Amino acid sequence: MVVLVDFCDNLIETRKSFVTKKKEPEISFSREEGFGKYLDLHAMYKYNQYINSKFGGGDAKIEYSAYLDVFSRPPCNKQKCSKQNRKYMEDLLGYLVGFFKRTKPSQDLDTILSNVEIGFEEQETATTEELMDLGAEKLKEALAALGLKVGGTVQQRAERLKKHQKSAREIAIIEAKVKKLCALLDETIQRTKQNVNKKTYSGLQRLGLILLITFSIALLLVSIVIVKKPSSCNLNK
């Protein structure tokens, strides 16, 4: 009897634990990501307008396979602090963070990225007052070199330069985080490049085969027409 009671109690507890057990969150991947094997950067490539952006060189002809070689490379021009580039880098960072957490949930990414920021906290930037001490002309030269508005009082110029320095620092942090994530995901990035190149090659092979078949059919039709066409000698007879 005691054994039967214990069995029933265990059965009830097992049922309770089964009912109350939380359902594990479902991890989803896009078709292009192949269950986490590859990156899917098509949104960054097309819909965030990298291919037509000024910071991307405005090269609308760049192929996706070539884009994978430069997608995380910061622009070496005045577009570095542009709103367009900042949005692109923020969206790219967001995607890489999400992908990393989906594929490597056991790793503490928050701590990793926090450590990236520590290096920037140690870097001091000049205050507005210190910038004002440079004088109007030097401030004007600095603003002009950055492609910024150069007019205004000394204080206005200093504040404008200070604002730019703050923005540049924030973008530099984003770039550093993207660089760190790319290093952590290097194997996935290389695998993605190989997969895209393989698809491109297969596509070219299919296109070549289609062209060959089309050309063969065209030759066959021409030969049929020539055979059926009566010769001039037969017409004279």
Side-chain angles (χ1 to χ4, degrees):
M1 186 67 178
V2 175
V3 175
L4 181 60
V5 172
D6 290 341
F7 174 77
C8 291
D9 289 341
N10 291 334
L11 185 62
I12 293 172
E13 289 299 323
T14 302
R15 185 178 179 183
K16 284 182 178 179
S17 63
F18 178 78
V19 173
T20 58
K21 186 178 180 180
K22 291 184 179 180
K23 187 178 180 180
E24 292 293 329
E26 185 178 348
I27 299 176
S28 61
F29 294 97
S30 70
R31 181 178 179 181
E32 193 72 21
E33 288 173 331
F35 297 101
K37 290 178 65 178
Y38 315 110
L39 294 178
D40 182 5
L41 295 172
H42 285 86
M44 305 292 107
Y45 170 64
K46 292 181 179 179
Y47 305 114
N48 279 4
Q49 299 181 339
Y50 178 92
I51 55 177
N52 292 313
S53 66
K54 292 182 179 179
F55 67 84
D59 188 359
K61 297 181 180 179
I62 185 173
E63 297 292 336
Y64 183 63
S65 56
Y67 164 73
L68 291 174
D69 291 325
V70 299
F71 75 91
S72 62
R73 190 180 301 169
C76 300
N77 52 38
K78 296 176 183 178
Q79 296 298 323
K80 190 179 183 74
C81 292
S82 66
K83 292 181 180 179
Q84 193 180 33
N85 178 56
R86 178 164 186 150
K87 184 180 186 308
Y88 170 80
M89 293 302 295
E90 286 175 342
D91 290 347
L92 177 59
L93 176 61
Y95 172 77
L96 293 176
V97 167
F99 183 87
F100 188 91
K101 287 185 175 181
R102 282 180 291 149
T103 55
K104 303 178 187 293
S106 61
Q107 294 198 32
D108 188 0
L109 182 60
D110 293 335
T111 299
I112 294 173
L113 296 182
S114 294
N115 291 334
V116 172
E117 289 192 42
I118 292 176
F120 289 90
E121 292 176 357
E122 298 173 353
Q123 298 177 6
E124 295 183 0
T125 57
T127 63
T128 302
E129 290 72 20
E130 290 173 337
L131 291 174
M132 289 176 64
D133 291 338
L134 295 175
E137 286 304 314
K138 286 191 176 181
L139 286 172
K140 181 179 179 180
E141 292 174 4
L143 291 169
L146 294 169
L148 301 175
K149 182 181 176 182
V150 299
T153 64
V154 174
Q155 182 175 350
Q156 289 173 334
R157 293 177 184 180
E159 289 174 349
R160 195 177 303 129
L161 185 57
K162 175 66 178 178
K163 182 179 179 181
H164 175 82
Q165 288 179 339
K166 180 182 178 182
S167 177
R169 181 178 180 275
E170 292 171 349
I171 292 176
I173 292 174
I174 295 173
E175 290 175 349
K177 289 181 178 180
V178 168
K179 183 178 180 180
K180 181 64 177 180
L181 279 162
C182 286
L184 295 172
L185 294 169
D186 182 65
E187 185 177 338
T188 304
I189 293 172
Q190 298 306 320
R191 189 162 54 237
T192 302
K193 292 178 181 179
Q194 293 171 1
N195 184 54
V196 170
N197 289 332
K198 182 179 179 181
K199 285 183 177 180
T200 303
Y201 180 71
S202 298
L204 290 174
Q205 281 187 318
R206 286 195 296 270
L207 179 60
L209 182 60
I210 292 172
L211 291 175
L212 180 61
I213 293 173
T214 303
F215 182 70
S216 300
I217 293 174
L219 285 178
L220 179 61
L221 292 174
V222 170
S223 62
I224 292 173
V225 170
I226 292 175
V227 170
K228 288 186 175 181
K229 185 178 180 180
S231 64
S232 57
C233 295
N234 292 334
L235 288 175
N236 292 331
K237 290 180 181 180

